Amino acid sequence: LAREYDLREQGAAAFGWYLRAADMSPGKTWDDRWIQYRSIIMGAFIYDRARDRNLSVEGLLKIAIATMPERPEAYYFMAKHKATNNDWRESLMYSSIGLQQCDITPEHDSDLGYPGEHGMHMLYARAKWKTDGRDDSKNLAFDLKYKNKLSKEINKEASELLDEHGYPSTLPYDKS
């Protein structure tokens, strides 16, 4: 029911049903925690669409992380949220932690919009660029673009990041 309200952009009703689903799930089994986790993330999306509810979005995503810290999706969405708000150090931190969770293959989370490990690497590379400078980020973006099969969206983001770096004219030669 929450999903139907969400599809019709009825955020208040959808959030109430997402919250209800998270509260009523006992949280004892993996499936129960998955329902809680997914519902909380979907609720965060509603607040994110409403704009100017950054603390609500962050709070919900932190609850999702606490619910299933072994899953990468909430780390990805938190890193993306932080990047959108130009909080690059926090984005770097959440994407770095999320990369440690990327060995888990997504089972049935396709409707969350999580792009997978390559999306997490892209967020990490961009946050590295904005916080620590060029070389590490340039190498990360180069490796991501040219050593992986990427979706069109992530390939475009990697190309844009390399353009920001001034690639190819400033890529150092490495003999190895």
Side-chain angles (χ1 to χ4, degrees):
L1 192 56
R3 189 74 179 128
E4 286 300 316
Y5 278 119
D6 202 358
L7 289 172
R8 298 181 194 308
E9 296 185 11
Q10 299 294 316
F15 183 76
W17 286 104
Y18 284 134
L19 187 61
R20 191 170 291 145
D23 283 345
M24 290 185 176
S25 182
K28 296 188 191 301
T29 66
W30 189 92
D31 287 331
D32 290 345
R33 290 185 314 130
W34 174 252
I35 289 169
Q36 291 175 334
Y37 180 77
R38 191 176 160 283
S39 297
I40 293 165
I41 290 173
M42 298 299 279
F45 291 166
I46 290 171
Y47 278 118
D48 194 44
R49 281 194 315 258
R51 304 280 178 226
D52 297 328
R53 298 297 302 263
N54 293 335
L55 293 177
S56 298
V57 173
E58 290 174 26
L60 287 167
L61 289 173
K62 286 177 183 178
I63 291 169
I65 289 170
T67 302
M68 294 187 89
E70 70 277 9
R71 299 291 302 177
E73 299 89 356
Y75 293 106
Y76 170 80
F77 294 119
M78 181 68 93
K80 187 176 177 182
H81 175 73
K82 292 294 190 173
T84 301
N85 292 304
N86 294 319
D87 191 351
W88 296 107
R89 295 243 181 248
E90 293 273 325
S91 180
L92 181 69
M93 179 188 70
Y94 283 110
S95 59
S96 176
I97 295 169
L99 283 171
Q100 296 171 15
Q101 312 305 326
C102 279
D103 58 339
I104 296 172
T105 54
E107 283 108 19
H108 40 39
D109 52 347
S110 60
D111 64 338
L112 285 177
Y114 173 64
E117 186 174 355
H118 295 311
M120 190 77 79
H121 276 286
M122 189 65 236
L123 277 173
Y124 182 74
R126 183 163 299 281
K128 277 296 254 188
W129 164 242
K130 296 292 187 175
T131 59
D132 297 343
R134 305 169 39 117
D135 291 336
D136 286 343
S137 175
K138 179 173 38 181
N139 293 333
L140 288 167
F142 183 86
D143 288 347
L144 184 63
K145 179 168 176 60
Y146 294 107
K147 295 182 179 179
N148 296 287
K149 185 175 179 169
L150 304 174
S151 69
K152 287 181 182 180
E153 180 181 322
I154 294 173
N155 191 17
K156 181 182 174 196
E157 287 180 45
S159 295
E160 288 171 358
L161 183 57
L162 286 170
D163 286 345
E164 284 181 41
H165 286 296
Y167 172 80
S169 63
T170 60
L171 192 66
Y173 177 73
D174 184 2
K175 250 178 151 170
S176 60

